[in-house]
Amino acid sequence: MSGVKELGAFRHDDAGEVARLVVAYAAERGVEARFGGTADDPGNQVDVFEPLDGWTVVMWPSTGAEAAVEIARVVSLRLGTVASCVSAFEDDFWSHLVFEAGQERDRFTSRPDYFEEESGTEHRWNSDPATVAGVFGVDAAEITDYLTPVTEDDLDADDERRAHPDDEYALTDSWVFVDFWRHLGITYPDADVPPLQYGITLAPGWEKAIAAAA
C-alpha cells in the first residue's frame, strides 16, 4: 500500500444526505465546504460514493485521521446509524472503529504495539469480534481472524495466511480491510464500483478545526 487510506462506511442508502451532513458539520466547525470540483490539494477532498447494498462509503483526505473519525461519529449520530471507520497506514497497520448512533462500540488495530510508547494505548485497541458481529449482523466466526492483531514475527516471516480461502489479501497486509469489509457487506470503491456521487472540497486547515472538537 502506498500512502494512507481513510474511509468511512455508513449504513444508509442516501449518499446525498450523508454528503449534506458532512458539509453541515464542517460549517458548524467554521470550515468552508462546497460541493463539486476537485480540490487543488487532495488533502482537502472528500469523496462520497453511490450507495451499494445499503452502505454509503466516504473516502476522507488522508491527512486528517482524527478529524475524519470525528466527522463519521457525528454523521452516525445524526443518522442514528452504524459507521465503520477504517484507517490503513502504508504497509504498517490498519485500524477499525465502529460507531452506532454516535456511540463507539468497538476499536481494533492490527498492530497495537505500534503505539506502545503511548501509555495505555494498546489496551484501548482491544477488539471484541462478537460485539462487531452483533452490530453488523454477521457471524463472529467470519470476522474474528481479521480482528486479531498480527505480530512483528508474522510480518518478518511474510506470513501469507488468509482469513478465508477466497480473500484477496493476507492478514499481514494492510489492504485486508477490503476483505473484512466484504464480510460486513461493505464494498470498497475500487475501479469506480460503486461510482463517485459527490465530491466535497474542504477549506485548508479543516482537520485542525474539526479535530479540536473531538
Side-chain angles (χ1 to χ4, degrees):
M1 171 180 291
S2 176
V4 180
K5 294 287 185 185
E6 298 291 346
L7 298 121
F10 301 92
R11 185 184 282 158
H12 194 68
D13 59 5
D14 185 341
E17 186 171 14
V18 171
R20 287 189 293 274
L21 285 173
V22 170
V23 170
Y25 182 61
E28 289 173 22
R29 304 310 310 170
V31 176
E32 182 182 354
R34 60 181 176 82
F35 287 104
T38 301
D40 294 333
D41 180 352
N44 301 322
Q45 179 76 24
V46 177
D47 292 329
V48 183
F49 294 86
E50 181 178 298
L52 186 64
D53 299 324
W55 289 92
T56 295
V57 172
V58 177
M59 189 172 291
W60 309 104
S62 62
T63 55
E66 184 179 358
V69 168
E70 173 62 10
I71 298 174
R73 182 191 69 78
V74 171
V75 173
S76 165
L77 173 64
R78 294 180 180 180
L79 290 175
T81 195
V82 174
S84 168
C85 303
V86 167
S87 177
F89 185 75
E90 297 184 335
D91 296 320
D92 293 329
F93 70 92
W94 71 281
S95 62
H96 181 243
L97 280 83
V98 181
F99 293 104
E100 188 171 27
Q103 297 297 310
E104 183 180 312
R105 297 294 307 278
D106 191 80
R107 59 170 57 210
F108 165 79
T109 182
S110 62
R111 291 285 308 283
D113 59 324
Y114 196 88
F115 304 98
E116 63 186 0
E117 70 278 6
E118 298 180 33
S119 176
T121 298
E122 183 169 343
H123 174 72
R124 290 176 60 229
W125 290 92
N126 287 340
S127 177
D128 179 14
T131 296
V132 178
V135 171
F136 289 88
V138 300
D139 185 344
E142 293 289 306
I143 62 171
T144 295
D145 285 351
Y146 299 115
L147 299 176
T148 302
V150 298
T151 67
E152 191 71 38
D153 288 342
D154 294 332
L155 296 170
D156 290 343
D158 292 326
D159 192 331
E160 290 297 314
R161 288 178 301 120
R162 284 163 167 72
H164 298 276
D166 62 342
D167 279 358
E168 184 174 357
Y169 300 100
L171 290 167
T172 53
D173 192 322
S174 295
W175 277 98
V176 75
F177 78 85
V178 175
D179 293 314
F180 170 64
W181 258 12
R182 179 166 52 85
H183 283 274
L184 297 182
I186 304 168
T187 299
Y188 175 76
D190 190 21
D192 297 325
V193 180
L196 178 66
Q197 285 288 91
Y198 298 93
I200 300 169
T201 301
L202 302 174
W206 67 274
E207 63 270 41
K208 294 179 181 178
I210 291 173

